[in-house]
Amino acid sequence: MSAADRGRAGESETTVGWLVDRAGKVLKGSANDIGWLQNAPGMPPVEDGTKRFDNLLFNIKNYQEHSLPKSFVYLLVPGLFSNLGPPNFDDTKTYFLKLGLECEVAKIDTQAGVLANASKIKELIEKLYYRSRKRVLILGHSKGGLDSAAALSIYWNQLRDKVVGLVLAQSPYAGNPIASDILSQGLLKHVNLKKEVMEIIMSGILNGDLRAIEDLTYEKRREFLRSYPLPREIPVVSFHTETKINMSILTKFYEVAKVEFSVTAPVGVRSFSKISVPWPLSSGLAMMAALLDLRYSEKSDGLVTRKDAEAPGSVVVRSRRNLDHGWIVLPCLNEDPKEANNCQVIEALFTLLMEVAGRKGFLLPAY
């Protein structure tokens, strides 16, 4: 065999070996990444606050025990794509205002990357503080939790006297298998068609930034948390849920939520249109949860796995109700009067956060 033939044979073996290795990684997907942060060395343990949360929620629901003080501002930060659908947290803001509490919903570009939104949230916290002279409690839902945590991690020196604590509500703090699988490299060595398609969708159709999804991948979360871990002194509550298919979920195939997608106008046209697309949200999330369970044997709310939603050192609320990823932020349909609604759940989460902050010495004597 000539030297040239041996070279070609070697290249062929290398290519075959790469394809076999890549095929193995594609098949595994995120199996080795889910829950990685729980096993990372040096991470502080979490505290289970589920029982205390349940007690607080029971008293709020049944005895109208509202203990949140008026001396703080309650900031709600929505997650990815919330700009495209029904207004997030509208019911909760109205509920808080009726309780006499100052409540704000962050107006950010939810399709932007984590670093961009962290800067916006930092500016908003400062604006709220200097306007009211009240410190801020934050609840961030989904990617909004990552944006909020990033603001505190990066700008803590400027914010430590303005913030009481953070609730991470269904946030993929350690990363997300769906985002990672969507953007993972395929079998072609130099081409990632999935990423190119997602970039077209994000920038061309949704007027967003691909980094908004990239920042949710396990790779990017590892990089970010190495550079900007949450300071351990910050009071943090992690809240996560699980959804699964049952008869109630199946009937919701007929309960349609309208999701509006902004469509970029042609060059030279200033206006843009919106398309209303029917989507059975609850049932869709339940089916996504079933797929994640089938592929990875992991429980989730349809988008975020339970294991990835717990920030190290936080007080964790592991809800036992069948609640999907969108329940806490959207107007609820056909609420069970025997169960607490999403507004009451958020009130209980903030109340628990106040208790955690009190233990850490974050509350002023006036509280």
Side-chain angles (χ1 to χ4, degrees):
M1 181 182 292
S2 67
D5 290 337
R6 287 195 298 272
R8 283 191 292 270
E11 289 178 4
S12 178
E13 290 176 3
T14 300
T15 300
V16 170
W18 187 92
L19 284 172
V20 171
D21 179 65
R22 175 55 58 185
K25 290 180 179 178
V26 169
L27 290 173
K28 278 186 178 180
S30 299
N32 295 332
D33 294 315
I34 297 173
W36 71 271
L37 190 56
Q38 294 183 341
N39 302 315
M43 292 293 104
V46 300
E47 175 189 339
D48 191 347
T50 307
K51 184 176 180 180
R52 179 55 183 159
F53 168 81
D54 288 342
N55 290 337
L56 291 169
L57 185 58
F58 181 85
N59 291 335
I60 289 170
K61 168 75 171 71
N62 296 286
Y63 301 111
Q64 288 73 53
E65 290 188 4
H66 306 296
S67 59
L68 288 177
K70 298 179 182 179
S71 52
F72 298 98
V73 178
Y74 301 89
L75 177 62
L76 306 170
V77 183
L80 184 64
F81 300 138
S82 60
N83 290 350
L84 303 178
N88 282 200
F89 293 123
D90 263 18
D91 288 356
T92 303
K93 181 175 180 179
T94 300
Y95 174 84
F96 271 54
L97 293 176
K98 287 181 179 178
L99 292 176
L101 304 173
E102 187 171 352
C103 182
E104 295 286 344
V105 179
K107 304 298 183 185
I108 57 174
D109 181 0
T110 62
Q111 286 91 264
V114 166
L115 289 176
N117 279 342
S119 176
K120 297 293 184 183
I121 292 169
K122 181 252 188 186
E123 293 173 2
L124 177 56
I125 291 170
E126 291 177 328
K127 178 181 178 181
L128 292 173
Y129 176 79
Y130 290 122
R131 184 187 72 191
S132 66
R133 290 297 168 179
K134 297 178 181 180
R135 287 188 294 164
V136 180
L137 286 86
I138 308 167
L139 182 144
H141 176 251
S142 192
K143 180 178 171 290
L146 305 190
D147 296 338
S148 303
L152 300 184
S153 300
I154 298 169
Y155 304 107
W156 184 236
N157 286 338
Q158 296 101 304
L159 298 177
R160 65 169 63 246
D161 61 338
K162 303 174 183 67
V163 173
V164 176
L166 170 66
V167 177
L168 296 167
Q170 300 172 306
S171 293
Y173 190 75
N176 181 262
I178 298 173
S180 295
D181 291 351
I182 287 174
L183 296 180
S184 65
Q185 189 174 1
L187 292 176
L188 297 178
K189 196 166 187 177
H190 301 295
V191 179
N192 189 347
L193 293 177
K194 292 186 289 184
K195 185 172 181 178
E196 292 179 0
V197 170
M198 282 305 302
E199 189 159 14
I200 292 171
I201 293 173
M202 284 296 293
S203 61
I205 300 177
L206 302 180
N207 294 328
D209 187 340
L210 184 62
R211 281 175 291 189
I213 295 179
E214 285 182 318
D215 287 344
L216 305 181
T217 64
Y218 291 109
E219 179 184 1
K220 292 297 183 181
R221 288 306 293 165
R222 281 187 172 95
E223 291 176 5
F224 185 88
L225 292 175
R226 278 196 295 267
S227 300
Y228 305 108
L230 264 175
R232 296 191 181 187
E233 64 186 282
I234 299 177
V236 179
V237 170
S238 300
F239 172 78
H240 55 81
T241 67
E242 175 184 335
T243 188
K244 46 188 175 289
I245 293 178
N246 55 28
M247 287 305 298
S248 173
I249 291 294
L250 288 175
T251 61
K252 289 191 176 182
F253 272 111
Y254 301 99
E255 294 174 5
V256 174
K258 290 185 177 180
V259 181
E260 291 186 334
F261 292 93
S262 298
V263 180
T264 305
V267 176
V269 179
R270 293 186 178 182
S271 63
F272 65 89
S273 61
K274 288 191 173 183
I275 302 175
S276 293
V277 180
W279 181 253
L281 189 59
S282 296
S283 51
L285 289 170
M287 294 187 72
M288 285 297 299
L291 291 173
L292 287 171
D293 194 7
L294 181 65
R295 182 174 189 189
Y296 295 119
S297 298
E298 296 291 345
K299 305 303 181 184
S300 74
D301 58 20
L303 290 178
V304 177
T305 69
R306 283 189 178 271
K307 288 181 180 178
D308 293 324
E310 298 187 359
S314 66
V315 174
V316 178
V317 176
R318 301 173 175 125
S319 176
R320 289 177 286 272
R321 289 173 62 183
N322 184 1
L323 301 176
D324 64 50
H325 191 74
W327 178 85
I328 201 169
V329 297
L330 298 176
C332 292
L333 299 173
N334 297 334
E335 278 288 356
D336 183 350
K338 296 179 182 178
E339 296 282 3
N341 61 34
N342 54 355
C343 304
Q344 293 164 333
V345 165
I346 290 175
E347 182 185 359
L349 287 170
F350 273 132
T351 305
L352 179 61
L353 180 62
M354 294 291 296
E355 293 186 357
V356 176
R359 296 205 312 257
K360 290 197 170 193
F362 263 72
L363 299 181
L364 296 173
Y367 172 70

